[in-house]
Amino acid sequence: MTAQTNQSWAASRLPCLASLCACLNARTMAPGGSYFAAFPFLIAVLAAFLSLSGIVLAVFYNPWHAFASVQFINRDVNQGWLIRTYHATGTTLIFALAYLHLFRSILIRAYRAPAEFSWLMSVKLLLVLLLTGWLGFVLTGGAAGHLSLVNAANAALSLGGLPGAVGLWFLGGPAGQGTLARLEVFHALLGISLLLVVWAYFASRKAAAQVEPAKAVAFYPYYLAQYFAALAVLAFIFVLLGFYAPGVSGVAANHIPAGGLALPLGAGVPWYLAPAAGLLGVFPTAKLAVAAAIVAVVLLYALPWLDRSGPDGAKGKVYCFFTWVLALDVLGLGLAAAGVLPFSPVLAVLFTGWFFFHFLVLTPVVTAMEAK
Amino acid sequence: MRRVFALTAILTILGIANAHAEDTLSPLHFQSQGPLGTIDKAAAQRGYEVYKSVCAGCHSLGKVHYRDLEALGLTPAQAAGEALAAGGTLNSPIKGAAPLNMGGAIPPDLSSIAAQRPGGPNYIYNYLTGFGPAPAGVTLLPGHNYNAAFPGGQTAMPDVLHDGAVTYQDGVQPTKAQEAADVAEFLAWAADPNLDARHQIGFRAIIFFAFLTIIAVASKRKVWRTQA
């Protein structure tokens, strides 16, 4: 009876509320955490925000007349342009945060034991984001998105074997009228599944955290206050981009309706897909590109085991330097894919080579040398 | 206080004197461009006149409705009049004449042309004023015209604007450059009709989140101070 009276009215009737409160008040977190450690939290907030704005868009979206329905949302639905701006700007920011989070995780070696699983979830987060973002780009029904879809469908047709079968099942055959209807479903499912990936990331990060019990603090109010400050900064950047640079998350050629035989000048992919497009684009056949994508993903997943410094290895300056070089390399891949750099095709090959070189050779060798 | 009032009065008078004398052609600039840009409604209304009398001969504006013209400052009765003259209602899309086949090239719909072309209204202005005789060494395809601004230099569209192609009701001289600039501003509005609202909401939101950020950071510091 006494235990009952200690609990609030709601918690005694719905016990999981009590465990949530206990979770928020438990002293399990290390004090003095960096603002950058709030990135996964911000990603979770943005994923929820994108799901909500996506539901509103899905109500008005018509995959059979994709471009016309997007124009309808922009021009004729009450505040439809605002919701669409939210969805596009949220996309840009969630990708920016995911790239920065992965970069920081490599830089501070957040992937090392016992936190391997939170690294695996971080990589999975980026992969699911890339697929969801590409689907969203295709769903706009613009000329650039349609060109990308036709290329993907043709690649799937030419693959054969298991990868071809998976590709054909996913896209439903050559890019046609019904393709966007099924891709809309996958876009929504993958987008909502992002929340599950982030949840798994938080659970594994919590399990891996090593905190001195004497110094530990609770989420409430310490990290709630910090995350709220991080969220306010994010919201500030969000409105700056969304209201004054709404074109940042799209490509100009996507304002042209898909179809017809004309291929618009400057058709490309949005910035957040550009590094992946640059990496896949250097391979002459679809089979090689798929193989390279699989190798790249496996290498990213394998990073905790490619790092040979052991659990107590010191943080080396050379490894830090090469991590910054890797960031520039990925940036360069994106710029080369956009054709901004001179000699873009040559540079894309060089940057792709460096990406594999970094993980296959540099990471094991440099970490092993620095651990001595 | 008196000094402030005098300054305000002088600025107001200067502003009134300046109101109709603004020259957007030298150098060329569009009020809709830039982070704080708003649609120049007077220019866009003149641009609609140019579209109606010249462009609509071949190009449709199918995503814009006659009711949308009220956003440019037309009264509902005026917009309804425009619709009636074209044989439609306020809810009809603005359709031009049936697309002509210009030797295989179909005139594109102009609803989003300012968003589709890199440079937006600047490109439209350069294109409409870019016609001229082909330079030596350029052989034109049959039925094509030389245009310095068009990628490839050759377009099936003829040079349609000239001095006095329309009559402006507000007294502005309808020179070829003025017509091109006005229709470019009109098409910038057609491609992004929410530009004014976007910039207004954005300005308020930025002020709000700037203050929220300051308060949130201050509250974070206060909370953490008790922990130390």
Side-chain angles (χ1 to χ4, degrees):
Chain A
M1 196 62 207
T2 46
Q4 286 272 318
T5 47
N6 280 343
Q7 284 177 347
S8 73
W9 178 86
S12 61
R13 284 157 179 78
L14 193 60
C16 69
L17 280 179
S19 57
L20 179 70
C21 289
C23 194
L24 294 178
N25 287 310
R27 293 165 165 265
T28 54
M29 301 181 83
S34 160
Y35 271 106
F36 297 123
F39 281 177
F41 163 75
L42 298 178
I43 289 172
V45 171
L46 279 174
F49 181 77
L50 284 169
S51 302
L52 289 178
S53 54
I55 287 171
V56 178
L57 293 180
V59 166
F60 295 101
Y61 180 74
N62 177 354
W64 304 96
H65 304 280
F67 188 82
S69 70
V70 173
Q71 288 283 313
F72 177 72
I73 291 169
N74 265 352
R75 293 171 181 274
D76 298 323
V77 174
N78 283 338
Q79 312 304 331
W81 64 275
L82 199 60
I83 304 292
R84 180 142 191 267
T85 305
Y86 287 165
H87 204 67
T89 313
T91 307
T92 275
L93 282 177
I94 200 171
F95 268 101
L97 287 170
Y99 281 121
L100 286 174
H101 169 64
L102 278 197
F103 168 66
R104 177 174 178 272
S105 299
I106 301 178
L107 194 66
I108 66 168
R109 292 172 155 172
Y111 50 77
R112 289 194 297 181
E116 297 102 325
F117 204 83
S118 57
W119 168 256
L120 299 184
M121 286 302 113
S122 303
V123 176
K124 191 184 226 27
L125 178 81
L126 182 70
L127 297 180
V128 175
L129 261 182
L130 282 172
L131 189 51
T132 316
W134 178 74
L135 289 173
F137 165 62
V138 166
L139 284 180
T140 56
H146 186 69
L147 176 69
S148 186
L149 175 64
V150 168
N151 286 341
N154 286 349
L157 282 176
S158 75
L159 273 176
L162 183 67
V166 172
L168 279 185
W169 173 81
F170 189 78
L171 295 169
Q177 282 273 295
T179 312
L180 291 185
R182 62 193 291 133
L183 293 191
E184 186 193 3
V185 176
F186 292 136
H187 178 73
L189 270 180
L190 284 168
I192 291 172
S193 75
L194 272 178
L195 288 166
L196 278 179
V197 178
V198 181
W199 170 80
Y201 169 83
F202 279 124
S204 57
R205 189 173 84 170
K206 192 177 169 191
Q210 292 150 330
V211 190
E212 276 184 62
K215 287 186 177 172
V217 296
F219 179 82
Y220 177 84
Y222 297 104
Y223 277 96
L224 185 67
Q226 190 186 21
Y227 284 9
F228 183 66
L231 191 61
V233 174
L234 180 78
F236 184 79
I237 299 171
F238 184 97
V239 293
L240 208 60
L241 280 178
F243 291 105
Y244 292 99
V248 76
S249 30
V251 288
N254 240 10
H255 287 102
I256 305 171
L261 297 172
L263 184 63
L265 287 169
V269 293
W271 74 267
Y272 44 84
L273 300 175
L279 195 142
L280 296 179
V282 302
F283 296 95
T285 66
K287 275 190 181 123
L288 281 174
V290 168
I294 291 172
V295 172
V297 169
V298 168
L299 283 178
L300 274 172
Y301 271 136
L303 185 58
W305 298 278
L306 289 171
D307 185 327
R308 306 310 303 165
S309 60
D312 305 319
K315 195 172 151 185
K317 285 209 171 84
V318 184
Y319 182 72
C320 269
F321 170 75
F322 279 121
T323 306
W324 280 99
V325 174
L326 178 72
L328 290 178
D329 181 68
V330 172
L331 191 71
L333 259 178
L335 292 176
V340 183
L341 302 174
F343 311 110
S344 283
V346 184
L347 281 179
V349 175
L350 282 178
F351 290 147
T352 303
W354 182 269
F355 183 85
F356 290 109
F357 179 69
H358 176 94
F359 287 104
L360 273 177
V361 180
L362 274 181
T363 303
V365 171
V366 170
T367 48
M369 277 168 61
E370 285 191 328
K372 277 177 191 164
Chain B
M1 193 64 213
R2 198 178 295 165
R3 216 177 288 162
V4 173
F5 178 76
L7 191 67
T8 318
I10 289 170
L11 286 177
T12 312
I13 291 164
L14 282 177
I16 291 166
N18 223 6
H20 61 89
E22 198 193 358
D23 177 15
T24 57
L25 294 177
S26 50
L28 178 72
H29 62 278
F30 296 96
Q31 192 182 305
S32 57
Q33 301 302 292
L36 295 175
T38 50
I39 297 294
D40 184 347
K41 287 183 182 170
Q45 280 195 24
R46 292 196 299 271
Y48 172 64
E49 289 293 325
V50 177
Y51 166 78
K52 193 172 66 173
S53 349
V54 184
C55 315
C58 299
H59 293 277
S60 61
L61 200 65
K63 300 291 178 193
V64 184
H65 304 88
Y66 285 101
R67 61 168 188 261
D68 298 329
L69 292 174
E70 289 171 32
L72 288 183
L74 270 68
T75 62
Q78 282 172 326
E82 294 294 328
L84 202 62
T89 67
L90 274 177
N91 288 333
S92 312
I94 302 182
K95 296 272 189 206
L100 297 174
N101 189 334
M102 306 292 286
I106 294 171
D109 183 89
L110 295 183
S111 307
S112 295
I113 199 87
Q116 290 164 357
R117 302 288 186 266
N122 281 299
Y123 166 78
I124 295 169
Y125 176 87
N126 291 336
Y127 175 76
L128 290 175
T129 55
F131 290 94
V138 174
T139 314
L140 292 174
L141 293 165
H144 279 59
N145 304 291
Y146 181 76
N147 188 311
F150 193 70
Q154 304 193 27
T155 172
M157 177 174 149
D159 187 7
V160 288
L161 292 183
H162 53 84
D163 290 351
V166 289
T167 314
Y168 284 146
Q169 293 173 2
D170 60 359
V172 172
Q173 278 298 317
T175 61
K176 180 174 183 174
Q178 186 70 48
E179 290 161 9
D182 289 343
V183 84
E185 182 79 355
F186 171 68
L187 292 175
W189 166 78
D192 191 3
N194 308 302
L195 182 131
D196 285 6
R198 182 156 58 76
H199 284 175
Q200 273 178 19
I201 299 174
F203 196 70
R204 292 174 209 160
I206 281 174
I207 294 172
F208 175 79
F209 283 115
F211 279 103
L212 186 71
T213 303
I214 295 169
I215 293 169
V217 171
S219 113
K220 183 256 172 189
R221 292 167 71 97
K222 187 161 184 286
V223 166
W224 280 85
R225 213 173 290 134
T226 59
Q227 186 261 337

